[in-house]
Each structure stands twice: as structure tokens, then as C-alpha cells.
């Protein structure tokens, strides 16, 4: 049971309705209670619950009349039907109509609460399965999401380069997914069954780099009590990714060039070379052409790596991939945190689409997770996004009288509906999601608030 679980209780007996509401709230559930099917239908439309508990006999239409509309929902609530007129025929009819369980009055409270807990848990499991299916349904290339022309071209290049066995240089801004591209090259190649090793060239002290890369013999230096295989030997028969290649010191660059040319390594303190079969992938966010020009990167090594160079496009150049990735990250967040946020408001989607994302895919992932954490409704809206993304929408200068066309300024103004929605969510944020208090501040009924939110 989660305190975020919402239960809609439809019961015409006021005393029983009040009792069940109190018992459910005491268990930590959020409960909305009403007395007839028409009110229940309105609540189902404005605030879909996780569980619908309804009496079978109600004034006007019966409780089963609520079920047909639920079938159209992506993830309908679980349904528990209760009645004082229990019979096998009624139970079968309720289950055939879509109910998940059926209880008869008088209710035994412990059994009732146990049934509620079980139905909610079953629904959570169904939702998680659906969310993982949604993630798997998003078309991916070795774990990389991208339908834009720039990414499709990159995937084509990966397929071509993977068939070769020469070194590869993967370049791209921070957060674009260089490690994913390197892994795709390995998985697409004939070396896919071999080892795949990754080393961060910027994370190893310079004095230890040679030993880490090429290994060392016993007694090669103080503390080297036994022989140790280096990363090149550990990756023999497979692929070695040299991440942050631009941070490698010049002396080690010279030794790496020799390894690329001869296919041999000499462990520190050893007189013998070891023949290896390793494919090198170098990744960097530095401009190596500039590094060559300023003398911090060897020209001969650069040309050796540049033969097969892949450039990953920044996220700002990938068009609708921003929306695809945002949806993927939200689906993954929902599955991990047992949430069911449906998506993004039009305004939030527009801000994401037009933001430059200097941190690229990694920044987008963090922004979506942050927004989803603060979202307490069905949609992520503008106020849930990080401040730097929100501020871009207000970054334009104020129009100066007499400058430009009036129509240009008018097009930049938000609609009344947009202003209203933003204000509602600001009030909800200020009241920490307390809809009763928010409705009081806004001067409207809670029912109107739910309708506006929908």
C-alpha cells in the first residue's frame, strides 16, 4: 500500500460510506466518497482513482454502469463491487463487466481492507509491466534512442565502421552518449562475444597510467609484488574504450601509437613484448584538431585515430528526439518509482523542445527526473521543470515601443488558458498539493478545480 493510492468510494448508505472512508484513510489511502453513480462518473472523469469501490445497488443507475467507461483508459482502476444482495449470478455479472472482486454485506473489515490492499498491489504490478513494455516498444539501436535524420545517419555509420577492425574516434559534447556509441560499436562487431573494457583517461594519475594500461612485471616498482595484467591484456580479443582520450599525457600517447601500429605491449619492468588483439575506441569531448595545434595531442596519433571518426550530434540538433527521450525517461521513472504521470503539458513540451541543452541527453534525463519528482498531478507542467529551462521562456527582451511589428509581439504572448493553467499549478505548488486549500485560494469549488486540471 502506498500513501499515493487514491480510492473512489461510491456508496449510498451515508453511515457505511463514512465508516469505510474513515477506515481507508486510517490505512493511509486518499479517499474520495460520493453517494450515487452519476457523482462517481464525474469523479472518474476528473480524477481517475487507483481503485473504485462501488455498491451494486445505487440510486438511479447501479454500480456496474460505471465500468464500461473504464475500459477505454490506458490503465483503468481496479474495481471492487460490494452489495447486500450477494449471489453467484450477481458475482459473475460483476466480474464479466470488468470488476476485479466482489464482496457481500455485512463487510468483515479486516477482510475488506486485505482485499483493497491486494487489488491495489495487483494493479501496481500490471502498471509496472505495462510501463516496461512501453519502454521496450520505443525503437532503439543498441540502447540508443533516436529517430532524427542525424541519429539515423550515425547508426548507419556505426554499422559500417563496426565491420572494420581499425581504431575508432568517437567525438561529441559532454552528455551526448559517447559510451553508448562505443558499446554499440562493440556489440555490432565480430568482437561482441569478447571482453569490453572501459578506462577513464582523466581519472587515473599520470604516474600510474602506464602500469594500468600495459600491466607490470613482479618487482617493477615498489609495491609491485606480483605480475599484473594491464587493461590491454584484459581486453584481448575484444574492445577497449579509452574515454576522455584528450586527457592522456603526451608520453603515454607515444606508447599508445606504437601499440596501435604493432599490436604489442610491453609491461612495465618486463623485457618481453606481448602480442595482443584489441580494438581501440577513443572517446573525447575535446576538439583534437585544436589540441594538435596547441601541442597537447600528438598529430601522428590523431591521424591514426581519425581514419574512422564518428561525430555524435548534440541534442539541440536532434529535433523530435527530445520528446522521444523525455517520454522514455518519464516512463522509466514511473516504473522505478511506481508513479503514473501521463506525460507533459503542451507548455512544458514546448520549453523542452526549444531549450539548448548544453548538457545534452544527460541534462534532459536529470531534468525529467527532477520534474517528475515534484509533479503531483497527471502531467508535468512548466513549474516542475528546472529553473534554467523555465527562464528561457522569459529570456526575450521586453518589446520597446515603436520597434518591430505588433503582430510579432502579440504572437509571443501566452493565451488566457495558458496563464490560468500556470497559475493553478503555482497555487498547488504553494499549498504542497492540497487541492482543498488550493480551491479556497482560487475561489472555486474542488470539483471545478479537478475539471480545470483535467
Amino acid at each position: 500500500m502506498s500513501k499515493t493510492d487514491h480510492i473512489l468510494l461510491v456508496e449510498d448508505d451515508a453511515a457505511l460510506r463514512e465508516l469505510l472512508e474513515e477506515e481507508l484513510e486510517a490505512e493511509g489511502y486518499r479517499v474520495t466518497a460520493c453517494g450515487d453513480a452519476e457523482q462517481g462518473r464525474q469523479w472518474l472523469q476528473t480524477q481517475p482513482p487507483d481503485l473504485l469501490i462501488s455498491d451494486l445497488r445505487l440510486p438511479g443507475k447501479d454500480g456496474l454502469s460505471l465500468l464500461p467507461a473504464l475500459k477505454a483508459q490506458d490503465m483503468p482502476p481496479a474495481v471492487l463491487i460490494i452489495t447486500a444482495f450477494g449471489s453467484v449470478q450477481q458475482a459473475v455479472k460483476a466480474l464479466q463487466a470488468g470488476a476485479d472482486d466482489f464482496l457481500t454485506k455485512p463487510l468483515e473489515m479486516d477482510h475488506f481492507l486485505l482485499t483493497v490492499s491486494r487489488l491495489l498491489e495487483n494493479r501496481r504490478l500490471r502498471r509496472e509491466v505495462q510501463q516496461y513494455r512501453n519502454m521496450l516498444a520505443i525503437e532503439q539501436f543498441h540502447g540508443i534512442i533516436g529517430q532524427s535524420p542525424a541519429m539515423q545517419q550515425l547508426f548507419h555509420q556505426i554499422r559500417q565502421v563496426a565491420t572494420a577492425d581499425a581504431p575508432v574516434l568517437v567525438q561529441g559534447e559532454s552528455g551526448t552518449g559517447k559510451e553508448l556509441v562505443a558499446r554499440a560499436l562493440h556489440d555490432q562487431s565480430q568482437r561482441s562475444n569478447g571482453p569490453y573494457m572501459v578506462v577513464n583517461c582523466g581519472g587515473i594519475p599520470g604516474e600510474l597510467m602506464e602500469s594500468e594500461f600495459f600491466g607490470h612485471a613482479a618487482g617493477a616498482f615498489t609495491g609491485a609484488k606480483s605480475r599484473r595484467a594491464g587493461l590491454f591484456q584484459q581486453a584481448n580479443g575484444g574492445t577497449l574504450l579509452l574515454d576522455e582520450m584528450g586527457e592522456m599525457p603526451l608520453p603515454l600517447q607515444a606508447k599508445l601509437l606504437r601499440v596501435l601500429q604493432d599490436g604489442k605491449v610491453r609491461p612495465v619492468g618486463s623485457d618481453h613484448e606481448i602480442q595482443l588483439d584489441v580494438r581501440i575506441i577513443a572517446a573525447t569531448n575535446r576538439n583534437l584538431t585544436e589540441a594538435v595545434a596547441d601541442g597537447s595531442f600528438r598529430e601522428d596519433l590523431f591521424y591514426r585515430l581519425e581514419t574512422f571518426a564518428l561525430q555524435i550530434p548534440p541534442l539541440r540538433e536532434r529535433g523530435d528526439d527530445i520528446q522521444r527521450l523525455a517520454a522514455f525517461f518519464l516512463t522509466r521513472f514511473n516504473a522505478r518509482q511506481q508513479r503514473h504521470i501521463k506525460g507533459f503539458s503542451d507548455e512544458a513540451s514546448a520549453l523542452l523542445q526549444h531549450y539548448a541543452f548544453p548538457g545534452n541527453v544527460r541534462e534532459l534525463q536529470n531534468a525529467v527526473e527532477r520534474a517528475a519528482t515534484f509533479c503531483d498531478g497527471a502531467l508535468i507542467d512548466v513549474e516542475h521543470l528546472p529553473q534554467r529551462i523555465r527562464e528561457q521562456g522569459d529570456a526575450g527582451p521586453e518589446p520597446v515601443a515603436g520597434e518591430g511589428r505588433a503582430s510579432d509581439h502579440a504572437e509571443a504572448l501566452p493565451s488566457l488558458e495558458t496563464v490560468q493553467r500556470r497559475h493553478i499549478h503555482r497555487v498547488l505548488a504553494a499549498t504542497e498539493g492540497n487541492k482543498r486549500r488550493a480551491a479556497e485560494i482560487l475561489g472555486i469549488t474542488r470539483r471545478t478545480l479537478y475539471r480545470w486540471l483535467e
Side-chain angles (χ1 to χ4, degrees):
M1 183 270 291
S2 168
K3 289 186 178 180
T4 61
D5 286 326
H6 175 218
I7 297 175
L8 173 59
L9 172 63
V10 185
E11 168 61 60
D12 61 324
D13 184 327
L16 179 59
R17 183 171 68 243
E18 183 177 352
L19 172 64
L20 295 180
E21 185 176 7
E22 290 178 355
E23 291 288 339
L24 292 169
E25 288 180 341
E27 292 295 309
Y29 300 111
R30 294 187 297 114
V31 183
T32 300
C34 58
D36 58 58
E38 183 56 34
Q39 292 180 14
R41 184 176 295 104
Q42 292 176 10
W43 282 109
L44 287 172
Q45 293 172 350
T46 57
Q47 193 182 18
D50 299 293
L51 171 64
L52 167 63
I53 302 176
S54 178
D55 195 352
L56 182 61
R57 295 279 184 94
L58 293 169
K61 295 184 178 180
D62 63 21
L64 297 186
S65 67
L66 297 171
L67 303 187
L70 301 181
K71 296 180 180 179
Q73 298 182 11
D74 293 334
M75 180 54 64
V79 179
L80 173 62
I81 296 295
I82 56 177
T83 181
F85 303 93
S87 69
V88 174
Q89 291 79 8
Q90 288 175 323
V92 170
K93 182 180 178 182
L95 295 174
Q96 289 177 337
D100 295 283
D101 210 339
F102 182 94
L103 295 178
T104 57
K105 301 175 183 177
L107 296 173
E108 198 282 311
M109 196 54 61
D110 287 341
H111 183 210
F112 168 73
L113 293 175
L114 182 63
T115 302
V116 168
S117 177
R118 177 178 55 79
L119 291 178
L120 286 168
E121 180 62 25
N122 288 342
R123 183 177 184 272
R124 273 194 294 275
L125 292 174
R126 291 199 306 270
R127 186 172 65 238
E128 288 178 18
V129 170
Q130 183 61 48
Q131 288 168 343
Y132 282 116
R133 285 176 177 171
N134 292 341
M135 281 194 290
L136 293 174
I138 298 176
E139 187 172 349
Q140 302 182 32
F141 176 79
H142 294 284
I144 308 173
I145 297 171
Q147 294 298 310
S148 63
M151 291 302 291
Q152 290 299 306
Q153 176 64 20
L154 176 63
F155 297 159
H156 177 66
Q157 293 173 341
I158 290 174
R159 294 186 186 97
Q160 292 180 312
V161 171
T163 61
D165 214 30
V168 181
L169 176 61
V170 179
Q171 301 179 96
E173 296 177 6
S174 178
T176 51
K178 294 183 288 294
E179 286 195 38
L180 287 176
V181 169
R183 183 76 205 204
L185 282 165
H186 172 76
D187 291 342
Q188 188 77 25
S189 73
Q190 295 180 348
R191 297 175 175 269
S192 58
N193 292 326
Y196 176 77
M197 305 292 295
V198 179
V199 57
N200 185 333
C201 298
I204 302 176
E207 64 273 13
L208 298 179
M209 269 195 172
E210 187 174 355
S211 174
E212 286 293 320
F213 277 55
F214 307 130
H216 60 75
F221 50 82
T222 303
K225 297 181 179 180
S226 60
R227 171 185 171 276
R228 182 180 183 277
L231 291 166
F232 278 80
Q233 291 172 263
Q234 296 176 44
N236 192 32
T239 303
L240 176 61
L241 168 61
L242 304 179
D243 199 13
E244 295 191 30
M245 179 68 184
E247 307 304 317
M248 181 178 287
L250 283 170
L252 196 60
Q253 291 180 28
K255 295 185 178 182
L256 174 61
L257 178 61
R258 184 178 178 187
V259 173
L260 294 178
Q261 292 173 338
D262 302 338
K264 299 177 181 179
V265 299
R266 184 191 297 274
V268 176
S270 175
D271 296 329
H272 304 286
E273 292 184 324
I274 302 174
Q275 186 73 43
L276 297 176
D277 174 26
V278 180
R279 185 181 199 181
I280 299 299
I281 300 177
T284 182
N285 58 10
R286 289 188 62 189
N287 186 321
L288 292 189
T289 302
E290 294 179 357
V292 169
D294 65 26
S296 62
F297 200 85
R298 290 182 62 101
E299 185 177 26
D300 47 5
L301 177 58
F302 172 69
Y303 289 128
R304 185 74 177 86
L305 294 172
E306 192 205 19
T307 303
F308 293 109
L310 298 177
Q311 183 70 41
I312 306 178
L315 185 57
R316 60 183 172 274
E317 296 178 3
R318 292 175 54 180
D320 290 343
D321 280 350
I322 294 175
Q323 304 299 332
R324 296 185 183 95
L325 285 163
F328 174 80
F329 292 138
L330 178 58
T331 300
R332 188 168 64 182
F333 177 89
N334 279 335
R336 289 176 175 175
Q337 301 299 321
Q338 296 186 3
R339 300 283 298 279
H340 41 91
I341 302 170
K342 293 182 179 179
F344 301 81
S345 70
D346 292 342
E347 294 82 3
S349 293
L351 282 181
L352 291 176
Q353 188 66 44
H354 294 98
Y355 179 64
F357 284 105
N360 292 287
V361 178
R362 186 182 299 121
E363 183 183 6
L364 173 61
Q365 177 181 344
N366 293 337
V368 171
E369 291 183 355
R370 188 263 188 202
T373 299
F374 284 96
C375 177
D376 59 357
L379 295 175
I380 290 175
D381 212 336
V382 172
E383 68 270 12
H384 303 130
L385 298 175
Q387 184 176 358
R388 63 184 178 278
I389 297 179
R390 299 198 309 268
E391 288 178 346
Q392 69 159 351
D394 303 320
E398 290 293 327
V400 179
E403 288 189 3
R405 296 180 302 149
S407 60
D408 292 336
H409 301 320
E411 290 174 358
L413 296 173
S415 67
L416 180 60
E417 180 183 357
T418 298
V419 173
Q420 174 179 286
R421 182 183 296 113
R422 289 180 180 175
H423 181 61
I424 289 173
H425 283 284
R426 287 192 187 100
V427 173
L428 283 170
T431 60
E432 299 181 345
N434 187 322
K435 295 182 175 62
R436 178 176 298 175
R437 177 61 181 147
E440 291 175 356
I441 294 174
L442 293 167
I444 58 177
T445 65
R446 275 196 293 168
R447 182 173 299 179
T448 300
L449 175 59
Y450 289 127
R451 187 173 67 250
W452 284 359
L453 288 173
E454 182 67 20

